[in-house]
Amino acid sequence: MDKITLYKLGLTKQEVDIYLSLLENETHTIKEISQITGINRTTTYRYIQSLENKGLVKWIVGTRGKIVQIFPVDNLETLLNSLKRNIKEIEIGLPELLKNLKQIQPVKRYQNQVRYYEGVEGLQQMIWNNLSINPKETSRSYTVFRRREFINPKFEDEFEKEWVRRRLKDHVITNEDRFEYINKRLVGAYRTESLDIHIIPKKKYYITNDILIYNDVFAIMSLEKGNLLGVEIENEEIAKTQRSIFDLVWSIGSSYKKNE
């Protein structure tokens, strides 16, 4: 028996089982259908109603009381023609529906997610997450430029090369004692093509950890020996506030190139 075609006509598995049981015996009571198919009696009523709406069965009153009778199988062709008409109506109305749906703007909800990371692998994941930034935007970072002291240098090289490959940009604020690290330990193209670095004196703004601000994420990492941990807060308003603070600090810093 080709049940697949019946499924394609819109019948569920339970409806197919009921339909075939009636096909073998033409009429059944609800109790008999339930016993044959294993579908409980309450649910069977619902499936019979659906088959009746499809024009495949009907209720009759017989010597055994109210029973279900199957229509001739030719009614399957009638059902198919009905489906064709429905599809045609959908094809006609779909362009206008799509036009109207595209005009509906989704309600923007605050995202309140906090993610905690720990250890070398955890911080590596946080760093790699920064690559998800919208390419049209600029990442913002405070950094002590000490990642390579705690994280595998090969991973950091891979991250910096991937950042360059994706043509991402980062505004970076650091203190004045990190010139040697910037010149000698960063991947060349990452330093020259991807980063715009501003220097701010420790006396004005002392940076002791790494902070990343991108998309709707505000992330902070502690780079202390034996205490490597980090937290990502994903919230549009928090990220917006932190970007404003960063831009204020950025405006009072001096360009790294002026200090070379």
Side-chain angles (χ1 to χ4, degrees), residues 19 26 46 48 53 74-75 104 113 125 128 134 137 147 155 241 249 251 255:
Y19 183 78
E26 191 173 333
R46 178 159 52 86
I48 293 297
N53 293 338
D74 290 343
N75 277 30
I104 299 175
Q113 297 187 32
Q125 183 62 60
W128 201 260
N134 184 337
E137 298 182 3
R147 291 179 183 176
F155 168 84
T241 298
V249 178
S251 68
S255 174

Side-chain angles (χ1 to χ4, degrees), residues 76-255:
L76 289 172
E77 188 172 355
T78 302
L79 175 60
L80 175 60
N81 291 332
S82 176
L83 293 174
K84 287 180 178 179
R85 288 194 298 272
N86 289 340
I87 291 173
K88 188 64 178 179
E89 291 173 359
I90 292 172
E91 289 178 343
I92 294 173
L94 185 59
E96 184 66 22
L97 174 63
L98 292 176
K99 179 182 177 181
N100 292 335
L101 290 177
K102 289 177 180 178
Q103 293 176 351
I104 299 175
Q105 296 297 322
V107 177
K108 198 165 188 179
R109 300 181 182 275
Y110 290 120
Q111 290 185 331
N112 296 299
Q113 297 187 32
V114 179
R115 296 179 285 270
Y116 178 79
Y117 301 85
E118 191 172 15
V120 173
E121 291 185 358
L123 294 195
Q124 287 182 173
Q125 183 62 60
M126 289 185 70
I127 293 168
W128 201 260
N129 289 348
N130 198 187
L131 291 169
S132 68
I133 184 173
N134 184 337
K136 296 181 180 180
E137 298 182 3
T138 299
S139 180
R140 293 165 170 82
S141 306
Y142 302 93
T143 181
V144 291
F145 281 119
R146 295 182 61 196
R147 291 179 183 176
R148 293 172 188 270
E149 297 176 22
F150 303 99
I151 296 174
N152 189 333
K154 291 183 179 180
F155 168 84
E156 189 65 22
D157 286 347
E158 183 181 355
F159 167 79
E160 292 176 7
K161 290 176 182 177
E162 183 64 19
W163 189 275
V164 173
R165 188 188 70 79
R166 299 189 188 190
R167 299 181 180 180
L168 303 177
K169 300 297 181 182
D170 194 6
H171 281 178
V172 178
I173 295 175
T174 191
N175 292 138
E176 69 276 12
D177 58 350
R178 305 311 294 168
F179 291 141
E180 183 177 355
Y181 184 101
I182 295 170
N183 288 325
K184 294 183 178 181
R185 304 192 69 179
L186 295 181
V187 171
Y190 178 68
R191 182 184 71 246
T192 59
E193 299 176 16
S194 302
L195 301 186
D196 189 354
I197 303 173
H198 274 202
I199 307 297
I200 190 163
K202 284 185 177 181
K203 291 182 179 180
K204 289 186 177 181
Y205 198 90
Y206 185 45
I207 300 171
T208 60
N209 44 51
D210 276 23
I211 294 175
L212 311 174
I213 307 166
Y214 62 95
N215 300 339
D216 290 335
V217 176
F218 171 70
I220 184 167
M221 293 183 287
S222 172
L223 298 172
E224 298 179 14
K225 190 174 182 179
N227 190 33
L228 299 177
L229 56 88
V231 176
E232 287 178 347
I233 301 175
E234 186 169 0
N235 178 278
E236 181 182 4
E237 291 302 313
I238 290 177
K240 187 184 296 183
T241 298
Q242 293 301 322
R243 273 194 292 270
S244 296
I245 296 172
F246 180 96
D247 291 345
L248 179 62
V249 178
W250 176 266
S251 68
I252 63 176
S254 57
S255 174

